[in-house]
Amino acid sequence: MLKIAVQKSGRLSEGSIDLLKKCGLKFTNGHNQLMTPVQNYDAQILFLRDDDIPHYVQDGVADVGIIGENVFLEHQANVDVVKKLGFSKCRVSLAIPKNEKYTGIDFFDGKKIATSYPHILKSFLENHGLKAGIHSISGSVEIAPGIGLADAIMDIVSTGSTLLSNGLKEVETVLVSEAILISSLSLDDQQKQQLEQLLFRIEAVLRARDFKYILLNAPNDRIEDIVSILPGMKSPTVLPLAESGWSSIHSVMSESKFWENIDQLKNLGAQGILIVPIEKMVL
Ligand code: PRT
Ligand code: ZN
């Protein structure tokens, strides 16, 4: 039995539940529940506050969990980081009032900085040989300079609009973060095997997110040139069309690579180009 902890409600919930469901786990979403069984797998989903997950996994209340890297680094629990999951991306940054002149990192020496991440801030300051006062507050960090509580803040930034609307500017990125899968150090053999299975499925889902299935039609005398820029999983599939002299070419490539190569494909005579999402991808 594998107990999987996810955030009950917040910015990680949807991505975590979506990922587990795409891995084939069937369960009901836990709006009013703390725990739900997985109907088709020997596992339970625990719905918790994200801050509690690192220590629950360390203490064996849960066996694995999905949290932000920022929360993992702040809580310093003794757990394994198994995999970066590619969603809930953000950065933890230092910000100062927008009218202040930023003179570089020494700006923070002797200043007061408000944050919900005192450990991360402490080690950042130590690494840079800076001495600053740390005001640890649990929410609405961005209002601290405006009410005279601090000279600067360190907080999560995603689009930057919260900083902007509070008259602040981002001046240093302390770390970049995304959702990660963590696991307990004391899994039994069966749980280790289950984690391997889960990881195999997660990797198939994540790989599929980056790649697209591409279908296009091409004149037969251009197949070689087109195939040379379409990598495919092994090599592209080429099938004859009903119209003689033409073929359909099928391939798999990353979406960004596709956009880089689209003009070249068209110049080589590719027509009727279709880009289709891939559900799972196993190598
Ligand atoms: O209740 P619980 O303790 O479980 O949740 P929480 O309130 O502590 O966390 P939550 O749900 O806000 O965030 C969970 C995780 O999502 C964080 O630990 C990050 O890893 C990640 N994440 C990604 C974010 C953001 N993006 C984000 N934008 N966490 C918070 N924010 C905040 C940010 O602090 C700012 O105040 O959203 C606000 C808007 O950001 P901008 O820059 O887009 O304006
Ligand atoms: Zn939290």
Side-chain angles (χ1 to χ4, degrees):
M1 151 81 75
L2 199 66
K3 285 173 280 172
I4 306 169
V6 299
Q7 190 190 26
K8 184 170 172 56
S9 77
R11 289 186 166 84
L12 290 162
S13 311
E14 199 184 321
S16 307
I17 290 170
D18 181 60
L19 177 64
L20 294 175
K21 291 201 165 171
K22 288 212 167 93
C23 287
L25 306 194
K26 288 204 169 79
F27 56 91
T28 53
N29 295 8
H31 291 304
N32 290 311
Q33 31 185 186
L34 273 177
M35 187 273 288
T36 191
V38 177
Q39 290 146 21
N40 58 348
Y41 195 72
D42 187 18
Q44 286 177 344
I45 312 289
L46 308 184
F47 299 99
L48 302 168
R49 283 201 58 198
D50 65 349
D51 314 77
D52 296 333
I53 293 176
H55 284 105
Y56 279 162
V57 171
Q58 173 185 286
D59 300 342
V61 176
D63 304 308
V64 299
I66 298 176
I67 48 165
E69 259 173 307
N70 51 312
V71 167
F72 165 72
L73 292 169
E74 181 61 27
H75 288 270
Q76 306 180 331
N78 200 14
V79 296
D80 270 340
V81 176
V82 183
K83 178 99 195 145
K84 292 194 181 206
L85 300 174
F87 61 91
S88 291
K89 290 188 176 176
C90 58
R91 48 197 190 274
V92 175
S93 293
L94 284 158
I96 62 172
K98 70 170 188 291
N99 297 329
E100 290 274 355
K101 189 168 178 304
Y102 187 60
T103 48
I105 198 117
D106 291 343
F107 174 93
F108 294 101
D109 222 4
K111 295 281 192 333
K112 279 187 284 182
I113 309 172
T115 188
S116 313
Y117 297 93
H119 284 115
I120 294 174
L121 179 55
K122 186 166 173 281
S123 60
F124 179 83
L125 294 171
E126 279 169 9
N127 289 344
H128 288 85
L130 299 169
K131 287 205 161 33
I134 300 174
H135 272 259
S136 183
I137 48 180
S138 60
S140 303
V141 173
E142 63 281 353
I143 64 168
I147 59 171
L149 196 66
D151 305 301
I153 66 163
M154 190 192 77
D155 199 9
I156 295 177
V157 183
S158 171
T159 60
S161 67
T162 302
L163 292 184
L164 203 67
S165 60
N166 284 281
L168 300 170
K169 62 182 174 189
E170 185 179 358
V171 290
E172 295 287 341
T173 303
V174 174
L175 64 96
V176 291
S177 173
E178 63 186 82
I180 54 171
L181 180 72
I182 56 168
S183 81
S184 152
L185 301 178
S186 48
L187 299 182
D188 63 29
D189 286 348
Q190 196 211 346
Q191 289 170 325
K192 281 184 190 152
Q193 209 182 336
Q194 283 190 293
L195 177 58
E196 281 303 311
Q197 278 174 355
L198 183 63
L199 198 56
F200 177 83
R201 295 182 187 195
I202 288 175
E203 281 168 355
V205 173
L206 297 185
R207 212 177 282 124
R209 276 186 191 162
D210 291 340
F211 285 84
K212 301 284 174 206
Y213 193 78
I214 295 174
L215 303 95
L216 57 85
N217 296 330
N220 286 345
D221 59 353
R222 292 297 176 85
I223 291 174
E224 214 173 303
D225 294 334
I226 289 177
V227 163
S228 73
I229 57 167
L230 290 178
M233 282 181 74
K234 206 168 190 70
S235 77
T237 307
V238 181
L239 299 166
L241 287 188
E243 187 178 329
S244 73
W246 282 79
S247 294
S248 170
I249 304 178
H250 299 199
S251 184
V252 169
M253 74 197 299
S254 75
E255 187 162 3
S256 58
K257 199 130 197 109
F258 169 76
W259 289 117
E260 282 166 27
N261 286 316
I262 178 73
D263 290 333
Q264 213 185 336
L265 287 172
K266 280 166 64 188
N267 291 339
L268 287 169
Q271 294 180 7
I273 303 172
L274 298 179
I275 309 299
V276 184
I278 298 170
E279 176 90 13
K280 312 277 187 301
M281 194 165 150
V282 177
L283 295 180

